[in-house]
Amino acid sequence: MADSHIEKLAALTEEIVACRMCTRLVDWREKIGKEKRASYKDWDYWAKPVPSFGDPDAPLVLLGLAPAAHGGNRTGRVFTGDPSASFLTAAMHEAGLANQPTSEHRDDGLILNGVYIGAAVRCVPPGDKPTPEEQRTCLPYLVKELKTLPNLKVILALGHIAFRATLQTLSDMAQERVRGKFLHGEVYRFGPELPMMIASYHPSPRNTNTGVLSMEALVKVLKQAKELSLS
Ligand code: SF4
C-alpha cells in the first residue's frame, strides 16, 4: 500500500507520545510543564515525549539530542520555540530546506522540504543530559522510525549524543557494529545498504554563542547534507 509507511509512522508516533518508560524523565517533563517559565505562564505545556516532524518521504534526516525544556517540551514539536530551534530553522531556510526562517509553535506554517527531524531521546532531560540508560531505553524508537522511512539516504547528526545514537541505529540496521569518530562536516559512508551520516555540532546557544558553530558553518553542512541526499 502506497502510504503504509505513513500509517506505520503515525502508529509509532502514538506509541512514543504515550511512553512513560523513563521515570526520571517523565517526572521532569511534567514538573516543567506544571511550573512553567514566567514568560510562558499562559501556555498549556505539551510535557510529553516529543515526536519527530517533517516529510516522511524525505531522503534526509536531522537528528538532535532531546527536546528543550521550554522549547519542544512546551510546544510539542521538535526544534520549536527555543534558541536552538531559531538558529537551526534560519539555517535550514537559508539552505532551502524550510519554507520559513522561524519555528515558533505547531501551527506556525513551517514546512520542511525533503527533511525529517527527530531526536535521540524524546523527553527533556535535566541539564540536557540523558543518562546512558535513558538513551538506551529510547533508542528502539529511533531504530524503528529510521527503518520505516522509505527514501532515507543521509542522516545529519547534530551533536555527540545524536552521533552515537545514529551509529547505534546503523549498527542495528547492518547487524554489525559500525564505528566513527565525531568530526564536524565529516561524511561517513558504511556501504550501499546503509544511509550515509554527516556530523555537525549541535546548534545550542552553548555552541552558537561561543563561536563553536557559526551560521555560515551550519548552512554549509546543511547544504552538503542536502546535496548528498539528492545525489
Ligand atoms: S525518553 Fe523515550 S523511552 Fe524514555 S520515557 Fe521518553 S519516550 Fe519513553
mmCIF file of all heavy atoms in Angstrom, residues 15-26 29 48-50 66-67 119-125 130 133-141, ligand 1:
data_model
loop_
_atom_site.group_PDB
_atom_site.id
_atom_site.type_symbol
_atom_site.label_atom_id
_atom_site.label_comp_id
_atom_site.label_asym_id
_atom_site.label_seq_id
_atom_site.Cartn_x
_atom_site.Cartn_y
_atom_site.Cartn_z
ATOM 1 N N GLU A 15 2.549 5.672 19.852
ATOM 2 C CA GLU A 15 3.218 4.862 20.882
ATOM 3 C C GLU A 15 4.240 5.719 21.647
ATOM 4 O O GLU A 15 4.314 5.671 22.882
ATOM 5 C CB GLU A 15 3.925 3.680 20.185
ATOM 6 C CG GLU A 15 4.448 2.632 21.116
ATOM 7 C CD GLU A 15 5.272 1.581 20.365
ATOM 8 O OE1 GLU A 15 5.095 1.421 19.143
ATOM 9 O OE2 GLU A 15 6.114 0.950 21.005
ATOM 10 N N ILE A 16 5.015 6.507 20.915
ATOM 11 C CA ILE A 16 6.054 7.337 21.543
ATOM 12 C C ILE A 16 5.416 8.365 22.485
ATOM 13 O O ILE A 16 5.847 8.516 23.635
ATOM 14 C CB ILE A 16 6.911 8.043 20.460
ATOM 15 C CG1 ILE A 16 7.764 7.024 19.708
ATOM 16 C CG2 ILE A 16 7.785 9.126 21.069
ATOM 17 C CD1 ILE A 16 8.459 7.556 18.463
ATOM 18 N N VAL A 17 4.398 9.039 22.009
ATOM 19 C CA VAL A 17 3.793 10.117 22.806
ATOM 20 C C VAL A 17 3.196 9.576 24.114
ATOM 21 O O VAL A 17 3.123 10.290 25.122
ATOM 22 C CB VAL A 17 2.741 10.881 21.954
ATOM 23 C CG1 VAL A 17 1.904 11.813 22.802
ATOM 24 C CG2 VAL A 17 3.446 11.683 20.862
ATOM 25 N N ALA A 18 2.809 8.314 24.124
ATOM 26 C CA ALA A 18 2.216 7.713 25.335
ATOM 27 C C ALA A 18 3.271 7.087 26.260
ATOM 28 O O ALA A 18 2.940 6.578 27.326
ATOM 29 C CB ALA A 18 1.199 6.651 24.912
ATOM 30 N N CYS A 19 4.539 7.149 25.863
ATOM 31 C CA CYS A 19 5.581 6.396 26.590
ATOM 32 C C CYS A 19 5.884 7.013 27.965
ATOM 33 O O CYS A 19 5.981 8.228 28.111
ATOM 34 C CB CYS A 19 6.851 6.360 25.736
ATOM 35 S SG CYS A 19 8.172 5.423 26.526
ATOM 36 N N ARG A 20 6.045 6.130 28.959
ATOM 37 C CA ARG A 20 6.391 6.570 30.324
ATOM 38 C C ARG A 20 7.504 5.683 30.892
ATOM 39 O O ARG A 20 7.579 5.455 32.105
ATOM 40 C CB ARG A 20 5.147 6.507 31.229
ATOM 41 C CG ARG A 20 3.986 7.353 30.739
ATOM 42 C CD ARG A 20 2.782 7.302 31.672
ATOM 43 N NE ARG A 20 3.043 7.933 32.943
ATOM 44 C CZ ARG A 20 2.945 9.248 33.171
ATOM 45 N NH1 ARG A 20 2.568 10.057 32.205
ATOM 46 N NH2 ARG A 20 3.225 9.749 34.362
ATOM 47 N N MET A 21 8.360 5.167 30.009
ATOM 48 C CA MET A 21 9.342 4.166 30.463
ATOM 49 C C MET A 21 10.443 4.732 31.354
ATOM 50 O O MET A 21 10.960 4.028 32.212
ATOM 51 C CB MET A 21 9.962 3.456 29.251
ATOM 52 C CG MET A 21 9.053 2.389 28.675
ATOM 53 S SD MET A 21 9.914 1.256 27.591
ATOM 54 C CE MET A 21 10.127 2.228 26.118
ATOM 55 N N CYS A 22 10.837 5.990 31.134
ATOM 56 C CA CYS A 22 11.933 6.556 31.946
ATOM 57 C C CYS A 22 11.326 7.410 33.057
ATOM 58 O O CYS A 22 10.925 8.553 32.800
ATOM 59 C CB CYS A 22 12.852 7.426 31.092
ATOM 60 S SG CYS A 22 13.436 6.611 29.600
ATOM 61 N N THR A 23 11.276 6.867 34.249
ATOM 62 C CA THR A 23 10.528 7.566 35.311
ATOM 63 C C THR A 23 11.136 8.938 35.627
ATOM 64 O O THR A 23 10.413 9.892 35.880
ATOM 65 C CB THR A 23 10.457 6.708 36.589
ATOM 66 O OG1 THR A 23 11.782 6.283 36.896
ATOM 67 C CG2 THR A 23 9.575 5.508 36.408
ATOM 68 N N ARG A 24 12.469 9.039 35.607
ATOM 69 C CA ARG A 24 13.097 10.330 35.910
ATOM 70 C C ARG A 24 12.669 11.388 34.881
ATOM 71 O O ARG A 24 12.356 12.521 35.226
ATOM 72 C CB ARG A 24 14.628 10.164 35.882
ATOM 73 C CG ARG A 24 15.386 11.408 36.313
ATOM 74 C CD ARG A 24 16.890 11.195 36.212
ATOM 75 N NE ARG A 24 17.383 11.357 34.856
ATOM 76 C CZ ARG A 24 18.283 12.264 34.475
ATOM 77 N NH1 ARG A 24 18.806 13.086 35.373
ATOM 78 N NH2 ARG A 24 18.697 12.324 33.226
ATOM 79 N N LEU A 25 12.612 10.994 33.616
ATOM 80 C CA LEU A 25 12.267 11.954 32.567
ATOM 81 C C LEU A 25 10.768 12.278 32.567
ATOM 82 O O LEU A 25 10.370 13.406 32.262
ATOM 83 C CB LEU A 25 12.711 11.437 31.191
ATOM 84 C CG LEU A 25 14.212 11.168 31.042
ATOM 85 C CD1 LEU A 25 14.565 10.884 29.589
ATOM 86 C CD2 LEU A 25 15.039 12.323 31.560
ATOM 87 N N VAL A 26 9.964 11.284 32.891
ATOM 88 C CA VAL A 26 8.516 11.544 32.990
ATOM 89 C C VAL A 26 8.280 12.591 34.081
ATOM 90 O O VAL A 26 7.567 13.588 33.878
ATOM 91 C CB VAL A 26 7.735 10.236 33.301
ATOM 92 C CG1 VAL A 26 6.275 10.551 33.632
ATOM 93 C CG2 VAL A 26 7.822 9.284 32.112
ATOM 94 N N ARG A 29 9.692 16.120 32.817
ATOM 95 C CA ARG A 29 8.937 16.811 31.756
ATOM 96 C C ARG A 29 7.619 17.358 32.334
ATOM 97 O O ARG A 29 7.170 18.443 31.968
ATOM 98 C CB ARG A 29 8.695 15.865 30.553
ATOM 99 C CG ARG A 29 7.641 14.793 30.780
ATOM 100 C CD ARG A 29 7.636 13.673 29.759
ATOM 101 N NE ARG A 29 6.434 12.850 29.945
ATOM 102 C CZ ARG A 29 6.295 11.607 29.544
ATOM 103 N NH1 ARG A 29 7.278 10.997 28.909
ATOM 104 N NH2 ARG A 29 5.174 10.960 29.733
ATOM 105 N N LYS A 48 5.057 15.957 27.274
ATOM 106 C CA LYS A 48 5.033 14.518 26.910
ATOM 107 C C LYS A 48 6.242 14.252 25.998
ATOM 108 O O LYS A 48 6.935 15.192 25.604
ATOM 109 C CB LYS A 48 3.738 14.202 26.135
ATOM 110 C CG LYS A 48 2.480 14.259 26.988
ATOM 111 C CD LYS A 48 1.235 13.977 26.178
ATOM 112 C CE LYS A 48 0.857 15.163 25.345
ATOM 113 N NZ LYS A 48 -0.496 15.315 24.908
ATOM 114 N N PRO A 49 6.464 13.014 25.615
ATOM 115 C CA PRO A 49 7.517 12.771 24.611
ATOM 116 C C PRO A 49 7.205 13.547 23.330
ATOM 117 O O PRO A 49 6.043 13.643 22.924
ATOM 118 C CB PRO A 49 7.427 11.254 24.370
ATOM 119 C CG PRO A 49 6.798 10.707 25.602
ATOM 120 C CD PRO A 49 5.831 11.753 26.075
ATOM 121 N N VAL A 50 8.247 14.089 22.720
ATOM 122 C CA VAL A 50 8.038 14.936 21.536
ATOM 123 C C VAL A 50 8.325 14.112 20.276
ATOM 124 O O VAL A 50 9.436 13.595 20.101
ATOM 125 C CB VAL A 50 8.962 16.173 21.598
ATOM 126 C CG1 VAL A 50 8.791 17.030 20.353
ATOM 127 C CG2 VAL A 50 8.641 16.994 22.849
ATOM 128 N N ALA A 66 17.561 16.021 22.283
ATOM 129 C CA ALA A 66 16.319 15.811 23.040
ATOM 130 C C ALA A 66 15.555 17.129 23.033
ATOM 131 O O ALA A 66 16.137 18.179 22.764
ATOM 132 C CB ALA A 66 16.649 15.398 24.475
ATOM 133 N N PRO A 67 14.266 17.114 23.378
ATOM 134 C CA PRO A 67 13.522 18.386 23.401
ATOM 135 C C PRO A 67 14.075 19.330 24.466
ATOM 136 O O PRO A 67 14.597 18.878 25.484
ATOM 137 C CB PRO A 67 12.094 17.954 23.786
ATOM 138 C CG PRO A 67 12.059 16.480 23.716
ATOM 139 C CD PRO A 67 13.452 15.967 23.754
ATOM 140 N N ALA A 119 14.834 13.179 17.295
ATOM 141 C CA ALA A 119 15.786 13.347 18.402
ATOM 142 C C ALA A 119 16.167 11.976 18.947
ATOM 143 O O ALA A 119 15.387 11.027 18.875
ATOM 144 C CB ALA A 119 15.169 14.201 19.504
ATOM 145 N N ALA A 120 17.382 11.918 19.505
ATOM 146 C CA ALA A 120 17.870 10.649 20.057
ATOM 147 C C ALA A 120 17.065 10.232 21.288
ATOM 148 O O ALA A 120 16.847 9.049 21.529
ATOM 149 C CB ALA A 120 19.352 10.783 20.417
ATOM 150 N N VAL A 121 16.626 11.225 22.053
ATOM 151 C CA VAL A 121 15.830 10.990 23.264
ATOM 152 C C VAL A 121 14.602 11.883 23.149
ATOM 153 O O VAL A 121 14.730 13.057 22.806
ATOM 154 C CB VAL A 121 16.658 11.340 24.528
ATOM 155 C CG1 VAL A 121 15.813 11.266 25.784
ATOM 156 C CG2 VAL A 121 17.871 10.411 24.639
ATOM 157 N N ARG A 122 13.419 11.344 23.435
ATOM 158 C CA ARG A 122 12.184 12.088 23.127
ATOM 159 C C ARG A 122 11.644 12.931 24.278
ATOM 160 O O ARG A 122 10.681 13.673 24.083
ATOM 161 C CB ARG A 122 11.070 11.130 22.678
ATOM 162 C CG ARG A 122 11.497 10.070 21.686
ATOM 163 C CD ARG A 122 11.887 10.695 20.372
ATOM 164 N NE ARG A 122 12.482 9.685 19.501
ATOM 165 C CZ ARG A 122 12.117 9.477 18.248
ATOM 166 N NH1 ARG A 122 11.180 10.196 17.704
ATOM 167 N NH2 ARG A 122 12.739 8.555 17.540
ATOM 168 N N CYS A 123 12.212 12.770 25.461
ATOM 169 C CA CYS A 123 11.752 13.563 26.607
ATOM 170 C C CYS A 123 12.875 14.460 27.086
ATOM 171 O O CYS A 123 14.046 14.078 27.038
ATOM 172 C CB CYS A 123 11.322 12.640 27.750
ATOM 173 S SG CYS A 123 9.906 11.625 27.327
ATOM 174 N N VAL A 124 12.502 15.638 27.567
ATOM 175 C CA VAL A 124 13.514 16.588 28.028
ATOM 176 C C VAL A 124 14.259 16.022 29.249
ATOM 177 O O VAL A 124 13.628 15.607 30.215
ATOM 178 C CB VAL A 124 12.857 17.955 28.359
ATOM 179 C CG1 VAL A 124 11.700 17.827 29.325
ATOM 180 C CG2 VAL A 124 13.885 18.941 28.896
ATOM 181 N N PRO A 125 15.595 15.999 29.182
ATOM 182 C CA PRO A 125 16.345 15.520 30.341
ATOM 183 C C PRO A 125 16.850 16.686 31.196
ATOM 184 O O PRO A 125 17.175 17.743 30.663
ATOM 185 C CB PRO A 125 17.535 14.788 29.693
ATOM 186 C CG PRO A 125 17.697 15.444 28.357
ATOM 187 C CD PRO A 125 16.423 16.174 27.989
ATOM 188 N N PRO A 130 20.704 13.260 29.186
ATOM 189 C CA PRO A 130 20.077 11.963 29.451
ATOM 190 C C PRO A 130 21.131 10.975 29.942
ATOM 191 O O PRO A 130 22.296 11.056 29.540
ATOM 192 C CB PRO A 130 19.539 11.547 28.077
ATOM 193 C CG PRO A 130 20.384 12.290 27.091
ATOM 194 C CD PRO A 130 20.833 13.560 27.757
ATOM 195 N N GLU A 133 21.420 4.942 30.329
ATOM 196 C CA GLU A 133 20.282 4.021 30.346
ATOM 197 C C GLU A 133 19.057 4.632 29.635
ATOM 198 O O GLU A 133 18.352 3.953 28.886
ATOM 199 C CB GLU A 133 19.931 3.646 31.784
ATOM 200 C CG GLU A 133 18.946 2.488 31.834
ATOM 201 C CD GLU A 133 18.401 2.233 33.222
ATOM 202 O OE1 GLU A 133 19.015 2.702 34.198
ATOM 203 O OE2 GLU A 133 17.354 1.573 33.304
ATOM 204 N N GLU A 134 18.816 5.924 29.859
ATOM 205 C CA GLU A 134 17.690 6.587 29.180
ATOM 206 C C GLU A 134 17.922 6.606 27.663
ATOM 207 O O GLU A 134 16.977 6.410 26.880
ATOM 208 C CB GLU A 134 17.526 8.003 29.735
ATOM 209 C CG GLU A 134 16.950 8.005 31.143
ATOM 210 C CD GLU A 134 17.210 9.295 31.928
ATOM 211 O OE1 GLU A 134 17.940 10.181 31.425
ATOM 212 O OE2 GLU A 134 16.701 9.402 33.056
ATOM 213 N N GLN A 135 19.156 6.816 27.273
ATOM 214 C CA GLN A 135 19.454 6.798 25.825
ATOM 215 C C GLN A 135 19.199 5.408 25.244
ATOM 216 O O GLN A 135 18.629 5.284 24.164
ATOM 217 C CB GLN A 135 20.911 7.202 25.592
ATOM 218 C CG GLN A 135 21.181 8.661 25.934
ATOM 219 C CD GLN A 135 22.655 9.005 25.832
ATOM 220 O OE1 GLN A 135 23.288 8.758 24.823
ATOM 221 N NE2 GLN A 135 23.205 9.576 26.886
ATOM 222 N N ARG A 136 19.601 4.394 25.997
ATOM 223 C CA ARG A 136 19.372 3.010 25.512
ATOM 224 C C ARG A 136 17.882 2.687 25.450
ATOM 225 O O ARG A 136 17.408 2.035 24.530
ATOM 226 C CB ARG A 136 20.054 2.006 26.452
ATOM 227 C CG ARG A 136 21.516 1.768 26.161
ATOM 228 C CD ARG A 136 22.030 0.513 26.863
ATOM 229 N NE ARG A 136 21.929 0.590 28.308
ATOM 230 C CZ ARG A 136 22.830 1.179 29.098
ATOM 231 N NH1 ARG A 136 23.895 1.741 28.584
ATOM 232 N NH2 ARG A 136 22.663 1.211 30.408
ATOM 233 N N THR A 137 17.144 3.183 26.451
ATOM 234 C CA THR A 137 15.703 2.881 26.502
ATOM 235 C C THR A 137 14.968 3.506 25.329
ATOM 236 O O THR A 137 14.036 2.924 24.776
ATOM 237 C CB THR A 137 15.111 3.392 27.842
ATOM 238 O OG1 THR A 137 15.875 2.842 28.905
ATOM 239 C CG2 THR A 137 13.654 2.987 28.000
ATOM 240 N N CYS A 138 15.389 4.713 24.935
ATOM 241 C CA CYS A 138 14.674 5.420 23.860
ATOM 242 C C CYS A 138 15.129 4.994 22.460
ATOM 243 O O CYS A 138 14.404 5.200 21.483
ATOM 244 C CB CYS A 138 14.856 6.934 24.036
ATOM 245 S SG CYS A 138 13.454 7.881 23.414
ATOM 246 N N LEU A 139 16.304 4.413 22.377
ATOM 247 C CA LEU A 139 16.886 4.111 21.060
ATOM 248 C C LEU A 139 15.995 3.253 20.135
ATOM 249 O O LEU A 139 15.927 3.508 18.929
ATOM 250 C CB LEU A 139 18.263 3.454 21.222
ATOM 251 C CG LEU A 139 19.045 3.304 19.918
ATOM 252 C CD1 LEU A 139 19.554 4.658 19.425
ATOM 253 C CD2 LEU A 139 20.211 2.339 20.085
ATOM 254 N N PRO A 140 15.305 2.227 20.663
ATOM 255 C CA PRO A 140 14.485 1.407 19.746
ATOM 256 C C PRO A 140 13.445 2.202 18.958
ATOM 257 O O PRO A 140 13.112 1.831 17.825
ATOM 258 C CB PRO A 140 13.809 0.406 20.686
ATOM 259 C CG PRO A 140 14.752 0.301 21.849
ATOM 260 C CD PRO A 140 15.323 1.677 22.030
ATOM 261 N N TYR A 141 12.966 3.306 19.528
ATOM 262 C CA TYR A 141 12.023 4.134 18.771
ATOM 263 C C TYR A 141 12.713 4.721 17.530
ATOM 264 O O TYR A 141 12.135 4.752 16.443
ATOM 265 C CB TYR A 141 11.498 5.290 19.630
ATOM 266 C CG TYR A 141 10.556 4.885 20.727
ATOM 267 C CD1 TYR A 141 10.655 5.430 22.001
ATOM 268 C CD2 TYR A 141 9.530 3.972 20.492
ATOM 269 C CE1 TYR A 141 9.775 5.081 23.008
ATOM 270 C CE2 TYR A 141 8.646 3.611 21.497
ATOM 271 C CZ TYR A 141 8.775 4.172 22.753
ATOM 272 O OH TYR A 141 7.900 3.825 23.750
HETATM 273 S S1 SF4 B 1 12.887 9.250 26.744
HETATM 274 FE FE1 SF4 B 1 11.997 7.848 25.252
HETATM 275 S S2 SF4 B 1 11.876 5.848 26.278
HETATM 276 FE FE2 SF4 B 1 12.149 7.445 27.879
HETATM 277 S S3 SF4 B 1 10.060 7.992 28.539
HETATM 278 FE FE3 SF4 B 1 10.656 9.424 26.924
HETATM 279 S S4 SF4 B 1 9.876 8.483 25.025
HETATM 280 FE FE4 SF4 B 1 9.897 6.898 26.592
#
